[in-house]
């Protein structure tokens, strides 16, 4: 009986634990600070504040940076690398690992 009680308690804990989204959607901050972007499905708010659409899949996002924006004209590819990290690859440029922004920072 005690074993069943322990199993039931562990089951409740597992169900009540916060679920982490396994998707690239959300707010991302550059490692050096000062830049962030936000992805929601095929929509992105770029580091320069432009609202545009890109190519979206659950773990990948790609867009061409608009004129007047950070990396203007470059193709930016992002690959989810876990819950808190995304690899940002700039075609012809450097790669960087961005992190999820802390609450209230975008």
């Amino acid at each position: 009986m005690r074993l069943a009680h322990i199993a039931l308690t562990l089951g409740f804990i597992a169900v009540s634990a916060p679920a982490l989204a396994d998707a690239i959607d959300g707010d991302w901050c550059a490692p050096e600070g000062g830049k962030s972007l936000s992805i929601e499905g095929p929509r992105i708010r770029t580091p320069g504040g432009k609202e545009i659409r890109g190519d979206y899949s659950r773990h990948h996002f790609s867009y061409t940076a608009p004129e007047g924006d950070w990396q203007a004209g470059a193709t930016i590819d992002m690959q989810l690398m876990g819950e808190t990290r995304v690899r940002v690859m700039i075609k012809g440029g450097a790669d960087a690992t961005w992190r999820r922004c802390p609450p209230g920072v975008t």
Side-chain angles (χ1 to χ4, degrees):
M1 184 67 150
R2 181 173 163 87
L3 186 56
H5 191 55
I6 291 171
L8 184 61
T9 301
L10 290 175
F12 281 125
I13 291 170
V15 171
S16 65
L20 298 174
D22 182 25
I24 200 164
D25 298 81
D27 300 321
W28 298 96
C29 287
E32 68 278 359
K35 289 191 292 291
S36 66
L37 57 87
S38 183
I39 298 171
E40 185 179 333
R43 294 185 308 267
I44 183 171
R45 181 191 37 77
T46 68
K50 309 274 191 208
E51 301 277 340
I52 63 170
R53 295 177 78 77
D55 295 321
Y56 170 84
S57 72
R58 190 166 178 82
H59 300 115
H60 180 264
F61 194 91
S62 179
Y63 73 101
T64 300
E67 188 175 325
D69 206 299
W70 174 73
Q71 301 293 330
T75 299
I76 313 289
D77 287 304
M78 292 171 275
Q79 181 68 43
L80 190 64
M81 298 174 55
E83 291 302 317
T84 61
R85 298 175 300 131
V86 68
R87 182 176 175 201
V88 177
M89 300 159 283
I90 303 162
K91 189 169 185 173
D95 293 1
T97 300
W98 290 36
R99 302 221 177 251
R100 288 214 186 261
C101 297
V105 176
T106 55

